[in-house]
């Protein structure tokens, strides 16, 4: 993919650093979902229920959404590398603190702090990627980087789930089946990855004496979007807020992030309660959701680049099939049928992650160029995580009192709004790209070498 680029060695190193770093972020995010059955078991006598743990998750999502807004602009202002490393270090510290804590109040406070600093990761990744890779590779590169949170999530669940299984079946390793141990191991793993990223990641090709590739010429800032100088928040936001594509992407992300966060958080518990998996098996089985989703995201990214960035042609069919998959999960009885449950969950993952991986990735880079891509990614993600606030407390409440089928049916209904937004997005983007093909090509512009 990068063989013709004079920057290929540094591009490969940047891709590896961002990928591995964001895998590390997920080890310190998926740990709560994996440890939730253990937490519920330990605190059952203290009256902590799925609703309470769902509240911990939902407050964390609220802080994550707020952090996306703040940290998206800060990444455009301060640069990607600094923000990426800051979030990693903070997540290590908060994971250790969570493992030392006890009681619902502290769980809520610490998890909220962890999620706020974790919100630095993706926007910083987007900012860095926008300065290293040419526009004709954007969908593929962002699809590969999306694998970091999909395969990273799968790896975290497998890695931590296997540790729990060892503790469940070997009395000499019983400490591994303790939720506190899971948080300490998560923190140590991310700490090691942070050291590697500190030495390997650069903010821009300029830092190593190379030139930056041009931004997408259809970004909302026009020619100025090809430069990454620091500008005021007003100058960043105004072009984004006047773009209809920006608002359509936000609407889609509201629905899709709610679905994704629901499955990310509740799949181990669902598999344990309904499909009769043991706790460790449920944690490992839940990795299938991000694993299948990763394959879908990669396929979608490569397909979109071959379609010359016409993302709507991939997004719209996927959204329609996602709604149908959720309806199947609502209507088919999977009680005591583990393989059927995993099959239907995988179907949801396949049709969810193709469009989801585009929204705050390649679409944000296309909209924001080098000037405002991390702000765009942060705002799009914040819209998504406002929806995802419902994934913890509200979904936990519905599952507790009305059952899982009712919860999945609600998600199918909400995703119908994403289908409508996807249809409008497809029509507008096709019109813009057809018009751009009729216009004469702009002359070569000088690449900005302003440090950031």
């Amino acid at each position: 993919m990068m063989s013709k680029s004079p920057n290929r060695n540094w591009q490969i190193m940047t891709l590896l650093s961002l990928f591995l770093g964001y895998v590390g972020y997920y080890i310190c995010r998926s740990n709560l979902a994996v440890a939730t059955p253990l937490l519920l078991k330990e605190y059952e006598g203290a009256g902590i229920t799925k609703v309470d743990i769902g509240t911990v998750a939902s407050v964390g999502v609220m802080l994550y959404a707020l952090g996306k807004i703040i940290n998206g602009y800060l990444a455009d202002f301060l640069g990607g590398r600094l923000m990426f490393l800051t979030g990693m270090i903070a997540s290590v510290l908060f994971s250790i603190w969570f493992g030392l804590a006890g009681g619902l109040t502290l769980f809520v406070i610490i998890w909220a702090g962890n999620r706020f600093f974790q919100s630095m990761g993706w926007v910083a990744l987007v900012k860095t990627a926008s300065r290293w890779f040419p526009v004709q590779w954007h969908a593929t590169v962002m699809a590969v980087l999306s694998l970091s949170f999909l395969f990273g999530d799968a790896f975290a669940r497998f890695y931590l789930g296997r540790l729990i299984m060892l503790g469940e079946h070997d009395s000499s390793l019983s400490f591994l089946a303790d939720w506190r141990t899971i948080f300490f191991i998560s923190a140590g793993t991310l700490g090691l990855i942070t050291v590697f990223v500190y030495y390997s990641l650069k903010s821009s090709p300029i830092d190593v004496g190379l030139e930056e590739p041009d931004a997408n010429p259809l970004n909302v800032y026009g020619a100025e979007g090809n430069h990454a100088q620091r500008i005021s928040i007003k100058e960043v936001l105004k072009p984004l807020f006047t773009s209809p594509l920006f608002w359509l992407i936000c609407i889609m992300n509201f629905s899709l992030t709610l679905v994704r966060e629901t499955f990310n958080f509740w799949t181990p518990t669902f598999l344990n309660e309904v499909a009769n998996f043991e706790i460790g098996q449920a944690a490992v089985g839940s990795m299938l959701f991000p694993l299948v989703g990763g394959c879908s995201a990669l396929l979608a990214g490569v397909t979109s680049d071959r379609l010359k960035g016409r993302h709507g042609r991939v997004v719209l069919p996927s959204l329609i099939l996602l709604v149908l998959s959720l309806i199947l999960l609502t209507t088919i009885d999977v009680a005591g049928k583990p393989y059927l449950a995993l099959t239907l969950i995988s179907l949801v993952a396949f049709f969810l992650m193709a469009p989801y991986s585009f929204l705050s990735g390649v679409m944000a880079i296309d909209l924001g160029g080098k000037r405002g891509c991390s702000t765009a990614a942060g705002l799009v993600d914040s819209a998504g995580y406002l929806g995802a606030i419902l994934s913890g407390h509200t979904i936990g409440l519905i599952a507790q009192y009305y059952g899982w089928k009712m919860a999945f049916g609600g998600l199918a209904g909400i995703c119908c709004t994403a289908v409508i937004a996807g249809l409008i997005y497809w029509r507008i983007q096709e019109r813009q790209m057809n018009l751009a093909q009729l216009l004469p090509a702009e002359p070569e512009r000088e690449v900005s070498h302003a440090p950031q």
Side-chain angles (χ1 to χ4, degrees):
M1 181 176 68
M2 300 178 183
S3 59
K4 296 183 180 179
S5 170
N7 301 343
R8 67 183 180 277
N9 291 332
W10 275 107
Q11 286 173 327
I12 291 170
M13 180 58 72
T14 300
L15 201 65
L16 176 63
S17 300
L18 292 173
F19 186 97
L20 187 60
Y22 211 65
V23 167
Y25 270 96
Y26 260 79
I27 292 172
C28 284
R29 184 183 307 181
S30 300
N31 51 7
L32 180 60
V34 170
T36 288
L38 295 173
L39 270 167
L40 290 172
K41 185 176 179 181
E42 178 173 327
Y43 284 93
E44 184 179 8
I48 292 181
T49 67
K50 289 194 291 291
V51 177
D52 296 316
I53 299 299
T55 300
V56 174
S58 286
V59 173
V61 171
M62 289 174 65
L63 267 290
Y64 193 72
L66 176 64
K68 289 283 186 177
I69 298 171
I70 297 169
N71 294 322
Y73 174 68
L74 285 178
D76 275 327
F77 191 79
L78 298 175
R81 181 179 181 273
L82 175 62
M83 294 292 287
F84 200 64
L85 288 167
T86 300
M88 295 173 80
I89 293 167
S91 192
V92 169
L93 297 177
F94 274 97
S95 292
I96 293 171
W97 189 13
F98 196 102
L100 294 172
L104 185 61
T105 302
L106 269 179
F107 290 157
V108 170
I109 293 170
I110 299 168
W111 191 249
N114 181 48
R115 291 305 299 268
F116 177 84
F117 282 99
Q118 285 235 337
S119 71
M120 294 179 175
W122 184 255
V123 294
L125 177 150
V126 168
K127 181 67 174 182
T128 307
S130 75
R131 302 184 70 178
W132 274 99
F133 302 100
V135 65
Q136 65 267 26
W137 295 344
H138 278 174
T140 301
V141 165
M142 293 311 298
V144 170
L145 290 175
S146 293
L147 298 184
S148 65
F149 66 78
L150 295 166
F151 288 175
D153 190 15
F155 170 76
R157 291 167 188 271
F158 177 79
Y159 170 47
L160 300 176
R162 287 293 297 174
L163 292 176
I164 293 172
M165 289 174 70
L166 285 173
E168 288 175 330
H169 295 103
D170 187 337
S171 58
S172 65
L173 298 173
S174 59
F175 66 95
L176 293 175
D178 182 349
W179 64 268
R180 297 178 189 277
T181 303
I182 295 303
F183 275 86
F184 295 145
I185 291 174
S186 302
T189 306
L190 178 55
L192 292 175
I193 294 172
T194 303
V195 173
F196 170 79
V197 173
Y198 177 83
Y199 289 105
S200 63
L201 183 64
K202 306 296 180 185
S203 284
S204 163
I206 295 169
D207 295 342
V208 291
L210 300 169
E211 290 189 344
E212 291 184 4
D214 285 345
N216 190 323
L218 295 179
N219 74 85
V220 297
Y221 303 98
E224 293 303 315
N226 199 47
H227 310 302
Q229 292 99 331
R230 298 170 181 174
I231 59 175
S232 70
I233 186 68
K234 181 180 178 180
E235 291 175 294
V236 173
L237 293 180
K238 186 176 178 181
L240 287 173
F241 285 174
T242 54
S243 167
L245 291 181
F246 170 77
W247 293 108
L248 291 168
I249 293 168
C250 287
I251 291 169
M252 287 187 279
N253 213 28
F254 180 93
S255 300
L256 299 191
T257 308
L258 168 56
V259 177
R260 175 174 171 254
E261 284 294 297
T262 295
F263 280 87
N264 274 351
F265 189 78
W266 289 114
T267 295
T269 305
F270 171 73
L271 291 175
N272 175 238
E273 290 185 349
V274 178
N276 296 337
F277 279 91
E278 292 182 0
I279 292 176
Q281 288 177 324
V284 174
S286 71
M287 79 173 186
L288 200 60
F289 183 83
L291 197 62
V292 171
C295 296
S296 170
L298 186 58
L299 177 63
V302 173
T303 301
S304 183
D305 275 340
R306 290 187 176 180
L307 293 172
K308 302 186 184 302
R310 295 177 184 269
H311 311 312
R313 298 185 183 185
V314 177
V315 168
L316 182 58
S318 299
L319 291 173
I320 294 170
L321 292 169
L322 170 62
V323 173
L324 295 177
S325 300
L326 286 166
I327 291 172
L328 286 178
L329 195 55
T330 303
T331 55
I332 296 176
D333 184 14
V334 299
K337 303 172 184 175
Y339 294 109
L340 180 59
L342 289 174
T343 299
L344 294 178
I345 287 171
S346 298
L347 203 60
V348 172
F350 188 84
F351 295 117
L352 168 69
M353 295 315 305
Y356 178 85
S357 65
F358 280 26
L359 298 175
S360 60
V362 62
M363 288 181 178
I365 293 179
D366 285 350
L367 277 177
K370 299 176 191 177
R371 170 152 289 186
C373 61
S374 63
T375 300
L379 291 170
V380 169
D381 259 350
S382 68
Y385 282 97
L386 286 175
I389 290 170
L390 303 173
S391 69
H393 178 82
T394 304
I395 296 296
L397 189 69
I398 295 171
Q400 183 84 25
Y401 296 109
Y402 301 100
W404 289 103
K405 287 188 176 184
M406 181 68 74
F408 296 139
L411 294 178
I414 290 171
C415 282
C416 290
T417 61
V419 173
I420 296 170
L423 174 62
I424 300 170
Y425 173 91
W426 168 68
R427 290 177 64 87
I428 293 175
Q429 196 210 26
E430 289 282 329
R431 191 184 312 125
Q432 287 185 353
M433 296 192 76
N434 290 338
L435 180 61
Q437 289 179 347
L438 299 176
L439 297 175
E442 291 185 16
E444 288 284 327
R445 295 189 300 272
E446 245 182 60
V447 177
S448 168
H449 284 249
Q452 181 158 339

